[in-house]
Amino acid sequence: MRILYLVNALDSPPGVLLDEAARAGASADIIYTVEKRDLATGETRDVPQTPEGFDGLVVLGGVMGVYEEAKYPFIDKTRNLVRAFHECEKPVMGVCLGAQIVASSFGAPVYKMKEKLTQAEEWGFLPQTWEKVASNDALLADAAPGLSLMHWHGDTFDLPENARRLSTRETCPNQSFRMGKKTYGFQFHLEVTRDILEGWSVFRAKALDVPLAEIEALIEPQIGASLGAQEEFARRTMQRWMALG
């Protein structure tokens, strides 16, 4: 299987999702969309116009918003590619910003949480409530009730028409969804490893202008309690997603 990973921020690499695919023998093309650069070769490479030559598409996170497509041309290119993969019935997985791009690809609005919801962001390992439909889903059928998964986002989205919501949270209802049988959006960060999270802690401390120790005191207990179960879940989810191809 040949998987295309679209990286939209260098501090949000494919992580576990790339590692598990490699363990299964899949090959990977990794494009850093903001700079139009192949991360393996360093060569100039833009978001492809078609799915030709690829068996699956993974769209990762980033600090930008889907509504900033004028500033970030890769966003509209990615939407077109998501629809093309979907029409070819090739698996698509959107993670965080990627999930928002998938939702937008099918006409759903994306907006800042503070515009419509009761809080401005979700951050940390937060529990999922799986919808009934998830019990029969090809990827999520045996997901543990209340599984805590890593979040860091201030944007959210409405569900596209004909989407099936798979999980929810009271403060941010649309957590994961499926379009058809092979196109998925996950608001939570399935890809994270400890190394990724350590980098995020430094970034968050700088963004909030607080000591790093303050952020670490909040996230380290969550990492200890939840990261192992999340990685196991992410690997199983990736295995099953690849099997859709």
Side-chain angles (χ1 to χ4, degrees):
M1 186 174 193
R2 185 182 179 193
I3 302 171
L4 174 62
Y5 295 85
L6 298 182
V7 172
N8 305 310
L10 292 178
D11 62 0
S12 295
V16 170
L17 302 177
L18 176 62
D19 181 64
E20 189 58 35
R23 286 175 55 179
S27 64
D29 290 55
I30 309 173
I31 296 175
Y32 179 35
T33 59
V34 177
E35 294 184 358
K36 301 180 182 179
R37 176 160 54 91
D38 187 307
L39 287 180
T41 67
E43 296 175 353
T44 299
R45 193 175 182 191
D46 203 353
V47 176
Q49 294 182 343
T50 75
E52 185 176 356
F54 298 105
D55 303 300
L57 171 66
V58 177
V59 186
L60 294 153
V63 298
M64 60 288 293
V66 171
Y67 39 79
E68 296 181 284
E69 63 263 46
K71 183 177 180 181
Y72 298 100
F74 80 84
I75 291 174
D76 197 47
K77 295 174 184 177
T78 303
R79 280 193 290 233
N80 291 336
L81 189 61
V82 166
R83 287 192 294 267
F85 267 83
H86 181 79
E87 290 166 4
C88 291
E89 298 186 349
K90 294 183 176 184
V92 175
M93 181 188 298
V95 174
C96 198
L97 171 66
Q100 296 160 12
I101 290 175
V102 172
S104 177
S105 299
F106 297 98
V110 178
Y111 47 87
K112 293 184 179 297
M113 287 177 60
K114 63 184 180 181
E115 293 178 2
K116 297 186 180 182
L117 303 179
T118 59
Q119 62 187 64
E121 68 169 3
E122 288 188 313
W123 177 78
F125 286 86
L126 304 171
Q128 292 290 297
T129 298
W130 304 107
E131 301 282 16
K132 186 176 180 179
V133 67
S135 64
N136 295 315
D137 183 73
L139 273 54
L140 308 176
D142 52 2
L147 180 66
S148 288
L149 299 170
M150 182 64 194
H151 292 69
W152 191 6
H153 64 102
D155 289 353
T156 188
F157 51 88
D158 292 344
L159 285 180
E161 186 177 357
N162 298 322
R164 303 300 298 272
R165 187 166 68 185
L166 300 170
S167 66
T168 188
R169 282 180 46 76
E170 183 177 356
T171 52
C172 186
N174 296 324
Q175 292 284 318
S176 62
F177 68 95
R178 187 186 75 234
M179 293 290 296
K181 295 182 178 180
K182 299 183 180 182
T183 298
Y184 285 81
F186 298 125
Q187 183 60 77
F188 38 81
H189 284 279
L190 279 178
E191 80 281 13
V192 293
T193 62
R194 173 170 279 278
D195 285 346
I196 291 173
L197 289 171
E198 288 176 355
W200 286 4
S201 292
V202 173
F203 182 76
R204 185 168 179 81
K206 290 180 179 178
L208 298 178
D209 194 22
V210 300
L212 176 59
E214 182 176 324
I215 301 300
E216 291 176 335
L218 293 172
I219 197 64
E220 281 296 329
Q222 295 185 36
I223 292 174
S226 301
L227 182 57
Q230 162 156 327
E231 284 194 0
E232 181 180 348
F233 170 74
R235 291 184 183 280
R236 186 171 66 247
T237 300
M238 189 63 180
Q239 291 166 7
R240 294 174 177 178
W241 178 84
M242 288 188 292
L244 298 174

